[in-house]
Amino acid sequence: MSVLFTPKKMGRMEIKNRFIHSATYECMANDSGEVTDKLIKRYGQIAKGGAGLIIPGYLYIMANGRAMKNQTGIHNDDMIEGLKKLVNDIHDKGSKVAFQLVHSGRQTSKDCIGQTPLAPSKGPRDNIYMVKPKEMTEEEIHGVIKAFGAAAFRASETGVDGVQIHAAHGYLVNQFLSPFFNKRTDSWGSSDENRFRFIKEVVLEIKKNISDEMSILIKLNTQDHTPKEGITLNLAKKYSAWLADLPIDGLEVSCGTLTYS
């Protein structure tokens, strides 16, 4: 039998096969970011199809970290009830589920979040959203790290099997990791070790807020495809080795950003 149909453990979570639904933007939440019946039906169909693990995505952890309208949220406690219904339906149909957590960073608009988007560095005007992001203060950086932990705790309240940190596709964690986007000269930038600090602190904060039964996964860019050097395969290898020393249970690799695919 093909290995695709055999079980696999990711930390304490065991999936029945190797078929995993990667997180996508469904555009199926309501205006407040709450789960809808349409969203539950979508993932119920995928679970009935036999997927071992389903990763709904991408759930924004703060109101200022929403990337798109009708994106699913996990930014406050009002989201828990709907997310719990989603988890229960997926479990009832035989699949495991992990929530992907994201902060959009510079990849959003003032219309979407009601303020200037945040980013590690000011940088140029975004080619898609046409805004110049605001460089984050030390207080704002720590606030976002805490928000990842709070979102993970809300996830644990739903009965989910794990969480995935979205560190790819040009969103905030990717922005901190990438030499192209992160031009800081303080302890959050200026070297690979300092750029890695943000995701390290996010992982450790999440670990403090979930049970040992839940798994922590990462989605990581292996190539940013930016005009000047960002994350490359060699840098992704370095980051992956450092991630292996942290309490994570799985790594999904991807590439590109919204602007530079």
Side-chain angles (χ1 to χ4, degrees):
M1 183 173 65
S2 168
V3 69
L4 292 174
F5 296 93
T6 60
K8 174 67 177 177
K9 291 199 76 172
M10 298 181 184
R12 299 284 185 88
M13 174 177 64
E14 182 171 345
I15 59 176
K16 62 186 179 182
N17 56 48
R18 312 301 177 93
F19 292 96
I20 299 175
H21 177 281
S22 184
T24 59
Y25 167 52
E26 309 94 354
C27 193
M28 289 181 175
N30 67 18
D31 291 341
S32 300
E34 294 171 301
V35 168
T36 61
D37 291 341
K38 185 187 295 186
L39 188 71
I40 293 173
K41 181 178 179 181
R42 180 187 194 276
Y43 285 112
Q45 293 284 1
I46 295 169
K48 281 167 61 176
L53 174 63
I54 292 173
I55 309 176
Y58 45 151
L59 281 63
Y60 62 96
I61 62 162
M62 301 176 73
N64 66 13
R66 183 172 71 160
M68 302 281 190
K69 299 282 181 70
N70 299 109
Q71 179 183 355
T72 310
I74 194 167
H75 56 297
N76 64 47
D77 291 349
D78 293 341
M79 305 296 112
I80 294 175
E81 182 179 353
L83 291 168
K84 188 179 293 185
K85 291 178 182 177
L86 176 61
V87 171
N88 288 341
D89 191 70
I90 293 172
H91 281 166
D92 288 346
K93 293 178 171 63
S95 297
K96 296 293 175 68
V97 55
F99 286 149
Q100 186 185 76
L101 309 179
V102 68
H103 190 292
S104 60
R106 62 180 290 132
Q107 290 188 162
T108 187
S109 65
K110 291 181 181 179
D111 289 342
C112 189
I113 63 173
Q115 66 177 68
T116 300
L118 302 176
S121 307
K122 288 183 179 179
R125 187 180 301 277
D126 189 274
N127 292 342
I128 291 181
Y129 294 101
M130 301 306 293
V131 294
K132 289 184 178 181
K134 172 186 177 293
E135 181 170 302
M136 295 170 71
T137 64
E138 185 87 12
E139 182 179 3
E140 287 169 333
I141 291 172
H142 286 290
V144 172
I145 292 169
K146 290 290 185 184
F148 269 103
F153 178 79
R154 292 185 196 105
S156 71
E157 294 288 284
T158 71
V160 78
D161 302 291
V163 294
Q164 183 186 61
I165 301 166
H166 197 346
H169 301 170
Y171 295 106
L172 186 65
V173 182
N174 185 185
Q175 291 163 31
F176 268 95
L177 290 168
S178 174
F180 179 79
F181 293 109
N182 186 346
K183 304 297 186 183
R184 300 180 73 98
T185 57
D186 60 6
S187 61
W188 300 99
S190 74
S191 70
D192 295 342
E193 291 82 357
N194 288 350
R195 284 186 285 268
F196 183 78
R197 180 186 172 195
F198 184 77
I199 192 172
K200 178 180 178 179
E201 296 294 334
V202 167
V203 170
L204 296 177
E205 185 67 23
I206 286 175
K207 186 63 177 178
K208 291 192 304 187
N209 282 276
I210 62 174
S211 73
D212 290 338
E213 301 302 313
M214 286 178 61
S215 298
I216 300 177
L217 313 175
I218 306 284
K219 186 169 188 173
L220 182 73
N221 260 12
T222 56
Q223 174 59 257
D224 284 342
H225 293 301
T226 43
K228 295 182 180 179
E229 189 169 293
I231 294 178
T232 61
L233 182 57
N234 285 336
L235 183 54
K237 288 178 180 177
K238 181 187 287 189
Y239 285 155
S240 299
W242 291 343
L243 286 169
D245 292 330
L246 296 177
I248 72 163
D249 304 293
L251 183 67
E252 177 184 356
V253 296
S254 194
C255 64
T257 71
L258 293 191
T259 305
Y260 309 107
S261 58

